[in-house]
Amino acid sequence: MPTPILKNLIMTSIIISFLATLLNQLGILQYPFGATYGTIWNIGDIIGLIFAIIAIRLVLRVPEGQPA
């Protein structure tokens, strides 16, 4: 995979992770599942974690530069 495309995928994953976590903190991506039991699913945190893991795995695929 070409390095510029890989870098764009990494940046996109980081941005999605940040936005999902931010929206979760604002309460937009929280789903009150089983409201009688007080359980709240933090969907934003889950999405943020998944895309953070994707970004880390993509970073590991970036080829290291040649020593000068």
Side-chain angles (χ1 to χ4, degrees):
M1 183 176 288
T3 305
I5 293 174
L6 202 54
K7 287 182 181 180
N8 287 336
L9 286 173
I10 292 168
M11 287 305 298
T12 305
S13 295
I14 291 171
I15 291 169
I16 290 172
S17 174
F18 174 75
L19 287 176
T21 306
L22 179 67
L23 291 175
N24 187 59
Q25 292 298 317
L26 295 175
I28 296 172
L29 288 180
Q30 292 181 350
Y31 179 72
F33 180 75
T36 57
Y37 302 112
T39 305
I40 296 176
W41 283 67
N42 294 323
I43 297 172
D45 283 343
I46 296 168
I47 294 171
L49 178 65
I50 290 170
F51 277 96
I53 291 170
I54 290 171
I56 291 169
R57 291 188 54 102
L58 287 172
V59 166
L60 294 175
R61 294 188 66 171
V62 174
E64 294 189 24
Q66 298 294 327

